[in-house]
Amino acid sequence: MHVLIIGAAGMVGRKLAGHLAASGSLGGHPVEAMTLVDVVKPEAPVGYGGTVEVETADLSAAGTARRLLAGRPDVIFHLAAIVSGEAELDFDKGYRINLDGTRYLFDAIREINNEDGYRPRVVFTSSIAVFGAPLPYPIPDDFHTTPLTSYGTQKAICELLLADYSRRGFFDGIGIRLPTICIRPGKPNKAASGFFSSILREPLAGQEAILPVSEDVRHWHASPRSAVGFLVHGATIDLEKVGSRRNLSMPGLSATVGEQIEALRRVAGDKAVGLIRREPDEMIMKMVSGWAPGFEAKRATALGFVAEKSFDEIIRVHIEDEMGGKL
Amino acid sequence: MHVLIIGAAGMVGRKLAGHLAASGSLGGHPVEAMTLVDVVKPEAPVGYGGTVEVETADLSAAGTARRLLAGRPDVIFHLAAIVSGEAELDFDKGYRINLDGTRYLFDAIREINNEDGYRPRVVFTSSIAVFGAPLPYPIPDDFHTTPLTSYGTQKAICELLLADYSRRGFFDGIGIRLPTICIRPGKPNKAASGFFSSILREPLAGQEAILPVSEDVRHWHASPRSAVGFLVHGATIDLEKVGSRRNLSMPGLSATVGEQIEALRRVAGDKAVGLIRREPDEMIMKMVSGWAPGFEAKRATALGFVAEKSFDEIIRVHIEDEMGGKL
């Protein structure tokens, strides 16, 4: 089996490649080759027995998609996107990369499908940003997508394309609407959602973190490990069971910031919690107030997608996967 | 006020131009000029006191959109599309005209908006084809769009673009999801939905009509007069009241074929009903079984969009508007 990961240099892409390298298989089939692509050069995962090709490529450039498909990958993970904030600041770039880039990929597959019947599995990472306020809690599976960002719009459009191209038989697509990934490893970044991770990650490492919103803010989370699990399950699930509605809101954990902090207290004690400094930020509060508080995710759950059941578990996953198992 | 109608040669486009010509105004402002555009030459409406420009143009050709905007129309009705059946048969043509053509238009407006702040009202005709089976009855306003045709996919994508471009302030857009238009004037056509109109239209004219489905089939209807009313209301409504969710399922009448036939009996008698010949068609029955049975349309109703309340009324509208008021 040959696996192509587009967006392999990102956090989830790296973890996915690492997972496939470690397990060496996908859905019971050995993964003999991986092609890892991103706009910056991805790292080859360590300890992988198969062939790895690492490429720098921009999907929104003419001909890129066709070239990436030259090896006829059996499974394509499409994770590449510019993030919400950048897509909002640069309208053209957001549509070019997040929409046109994806469409080029889908059309290149369709072209080859027309030529020789090539029909790969395509796992597309979408986002809960396809939903826009006002939102109920929990959000049901059949709730409409009325995004309030260009990023969310681009993801929602790609979901529609994915479903139509799949219905037409050009490829076997599935869209995975990721929750906010928590705890994101690495340094604090400037994303408005960054505090959800940093109020746990920094105190776990003995460092101070800033909380810009009130403790009653409720949001929807899953760990990086769960995100990889969603993608792997999406790559191997029987699509007959999924049916024609190919875009699924993933399971996750709905928690308030206060509940996050109490979980931190249980796992790491009062001292860790004491490192959270409250610094209310009106702009972030306003943005976050429109975000999804939580989902029913009945379909995805019934289809076997699994996320964490408590924030204690999410914190423990971080300690195991990012801190060598030790506090 | 200058009004541009793209898709002006179609049935609804013609009626809309005729309505504006007759009333001479839109939302209390005189309509001094109309530009009527389609791939086949539209007819200039009779009895109009303003300036009419009639153009043949293909929106999916480079430069067309920018040229159409040269006169800086205040209101743009975008009705142009290839129909469901054709978009299904010709994948490329459907995406080129229904998706790319619309995006070219939106981007041309955005370009001028960037240059000089031009910000017209854009009234986009969408369709209940954005919804795909299984569907509840009635379909609530917040139900997700999971189309099962490429046409429905293209309309759903354009809705998302319209909302995002409006949110960004490039234009003031509103998307009008039209019910099935009944009674369509003119000759029977090959559309799978054609029988909904022909089982009334032909008997009213003393001719035989074929019914390919059973009488318990339930569907969602509004008259051509209502369709024009929706578009005019969409062109003049205060968009502050509409908010960020700019795509609205229009009100209509949910009726079974049996209820249509009983209305025909009340208006035109048993003899007319006797002209309906049952000729079951498995393929049409299968297609129709996935169509929308009816909508709540709460938002559109609260916003003042109005449709017929009975099929007797729909039939009477046809007699008034298409048969000179006489049976």
Side-chain angles (χ1 to χ4, degrees), chain A residues 95 100 103 132 134 150 164 245, chain B residues 95 100 103 132 134 150 164 245:
Chain A
Y95 274 89
D100 296 330
R103 196 169 164 205
S150 291
D164 198 41
R245 292 176 178 169
Chain B
Y95 274 89
D100 295 330
R103 197 168 163 205
S150 291
D164 197 41
R245 292 177 178 168

Side-chain angles (χ1 to χ4, degrees), chain A residues 50 53 79 165 183 200 206 247 249 290 294 320:
Chain A
E53 219 178 317
L79 288 73
Y165 281 54
I183 302 170
L200 304 175
N247 299 288
S249 296
E320 284 173 28

Side-chain angles (χ1 to χ4, degrees), chain B residues 77-151:
Chain B
F77 292 98
H78 177 30
L79 288 74
I82 66 165
V83 298
S84 185
E86 195 175 359
E88 204 59 22
L89 285 175
D90 191 336
F91 185 89
D92 285 299
K93 190 175 178 187
Y95 274 89
R96 190 175 73 244
I97 293 181
N98 294 351
L99 172 52
D100 295 330
T102 300
R103 197 168 163 205
Y104 291 153
L105 172 67
F106 290 180
D107 276 333
I109 299 170
R110 178 168 74 94
E111 200 176 280
I112 306 175
N113 175 275
N114 285 337
E115 288 162 18
D116 65 13
Y118 172 60
R119 187 169 163 165
R121 173 72 55 107
V122 175
V123 182
F124 171 67
T125 50
S126 188
S127 161
I128 54 175
V130 298
F131 299 98
L135 294 168
Y137 171 63
I139 299 168
D141 282 331
D142 59 9
F143 197 72
H144 59 172
T145 56
T146 57
L148 290 176
T149 58
S150 291
Y151 174 84

Side-chain angles (χ1 to χ4, degrees), chain A residues 258-273:
Chain A
E259 288 164 1
Q260 287 188 270
I261 293 172
E262 287 317 301
L264 177 67
R265 193 185 309 277
R266 284 189 294 273
V267 175
D270 289 337
K271 205 177 148 197
V273 171

Side-chain angles (χ1 to χ4, degrees), chain A:
Chain A
M1 180 173 266
H2 177 188
V3 172
L4 168 63
I5 303 177
I6 304 170
M11 187 269 287
V12 176
R14 277 200 314 272
K15 287 195 173 279
L16 175 63
H19 171 88
L20 295 177
S23 86
S25 72
L26 185 58
H29 303 282
V31 177
E32 286 108 6
M34 280 199 266
T35 304
L36 307 179
V37 181
D38 212 317
V39 287
V40 295
K41 200 173 177 179
E43 284 171 42
V46 290
Y48 175 54
T51 312
V52 187
E53 219 178 317
V54 170
E55 273 203 59
T56 308
D58 175 2
L59 201 57
S60 72
T64 297
R66 181 84 204 207
R67 187 165 52 75
L68 295 180
L69 300 172
R72 300 288 187 274
D74 304 289
V75 177
I76 300 167
F77 292 98
H78 176 31
L79 288 73
I82 65 164
V83 298
S84 185
E86 194 176 1
E88 205 60 20
L89 286 174
D90 192 335
F91 185 88
D92 284 300
K93 190 175 178 188
Y95 274 89
R96 191 175 70 242
I97 293 181
N98 294 351
L99 173 51
D100 296 330
T102 301
R103 196 169 164 205
Y104 291 154
L105 173 66
F106 290 0
D107 276 332
I109 299 170
R110 179 169 73 94
E111 200 176 280
I112 307 176
N113 174 275
N114 285 337
E115 289 163 16
D116 64 14
Y118 172 60
R119 187 169 164 165
R121 172 73 55 108
V122 176
V123 183
F124 172 68
T125 51
S126 189
S127 162
I128 55 175
V130 298
F131 299 98
L135 294 168
Y137 171 62
I139 299 167
D141 282 331
D142 59 8
F143 197 71
H144 59 173
T145 56
T146 57
L148 289 176
T149 58
S150 291
Y151 174 83
T153 302
Q154 292 144 13
K155 288 291 187 187
I157 291 175
C158 292
E159 287 189 356
L160 284 159
L161 292 172
L162 176 116
D164 198 41
Y165 281 54
S166 295
R167 187 184 62 83
R168 291 281 195 147
F170 303 141
F171 55 69
D172 294 316
I174 185 163
I176 303 288
R177 287 181 193 141
L178 292 179
T180 287
I181 301 303
C182 191
I183 302 170
R184 281 188 79 89
K187 304 240 174 247
N189 67 16
K190 300 214 164 169
S193 61
F195 70 88
F196 287 119
S197 283
S198 64
I199 58 167
L200 304 175
R201 184 185 57 224
E202 269 64 88
L204 285 169
Q207 287 158 20
E208 197 174 69
I210 289 164
L211 174 60
V213 304
S214 71
E215 293 199 7
D216 60 359
V217 165
R218 180 175 284 285
H219 194 47
W220 187 238
H221 306 273
S223 73
R225 192 194 282 178
S226 287
V228 169
F230 298 153
L231 296 174
V232 166
H233 192 55
T236 55
I237 193 173
D238 178 359
L239 290 174
E240 286 289 314
K241 286 185 192 151
V242 179
S244 61
R245 292 176 178 169
R246 290 296 176 88
N247 299 288
L248 295 165
S249 296
M250 288 295 110
L253 180 67
S254 177
T256 64
V257 168
E259 288 164 1
Q260 287 188 270
I261 293 172
E262 287 317 301
L264 177 67
R265 193 185 309 277
R266 284 189 294 273
V267 175
D270 289 337
K271 205 177 148 197
V273 171
L275 290 164
I276 300 171
R277 185 151 55 84
R278 276 135 185 96
E279 225 174 72
D281 182 318
E282 289 289 338
M283 213 184 80
I284 293 180
M285 278 192 268
K286 194 167 168 246
M287 286 176 70
V288 171
S289 70
W291 294 358
F295 290 80
E296 288 188 348
K298 281 185 190 170
R299 283 189 66 216
T301 302
L303 287 163
F305 291 89
V306 182
E308 286 78 15
K309 296 266 180 289
S310 74
F311 239 104
D312 304 53
E313 203 181 336
I314 286 182
I315 294 171
R316 271 188 232 111
V317 165
H318 179 77
I319 295 170
E320 284 173 28
D321 291 358
E322 307 295 336
M323 304 175 76
K326 276 175 269 175
L327 253 190

Side-chain angles (χ1 to χ4, degrees), chain B residues 173-316:
Chain B
I174 185 165
I176 303 287
R177 287 182 193 140
L178 292 179
T180 287
I181 302 303
C182 191
I183 302 171
R184 282 187 79 87
K187 304 239 174 247
N189 67 16
K190 299 213 165 167
S193 62
F195 72 87
F196 288 119
S197 284
S198 65
I199 58 166
L200 304 174
R201 185 185 57 225
E202 267 64 88
L204 286 169
Q207 287 158 21
E208 196 174 70
I210 289 165
L211 174 60
V213 304
S214 71
E215 292 199 8
D216 60 359
V217 165
R218 179 175 285 284
H219 195 47
W220 187 239
H221 305 271
S223 73
R225 193 196 280 179
S226 286
V228 169
F230 298 152
L231 296 174
V232 166
H233 192 55
T236 55
I237 193 172
D238 178 0
L239 290 174
E240 286 290 315
K241 286 185 193 151
V242 180
S244 61
R245 292 177 178 168
R246 290 297 175 88
N247 298 288
L248 296 164
S249 296
M250 287 295 110
L253 179 67
S254 177
T256 63
V257 168
E259 288 163 3
Q260 287 188 270
I261 293 172
E262 287 318 302
L264 178 66
R265 193 185 309 277
R266 283 189 295 273
V267 176
D270 290 337
K271 205 178 146 196
V273 171
L275 289 165
I276 300 171
R277 186 152 55 84
R278 276 137 183 97
E279 224 174 73
D281 183 317
E282 289 289 338
M283 214 183 79
I284 293 180
M285 278 192 267
K286 195 169 167 244
M287 287 176 70
V288 172
S289 70
W291 293 359
F295 291 79
E296 287 187 348
K298 282 185 189 170
R299 285 189 66 217
T301 302
L303 287 163
F305 291 89
V306 183
E308 286 78 14
K309 296 267 181 289
S310 73
F311 240 104
D312 304 52
E313 204 180 335
I314 286 182
I315 294 171
R316 268 187 235 110

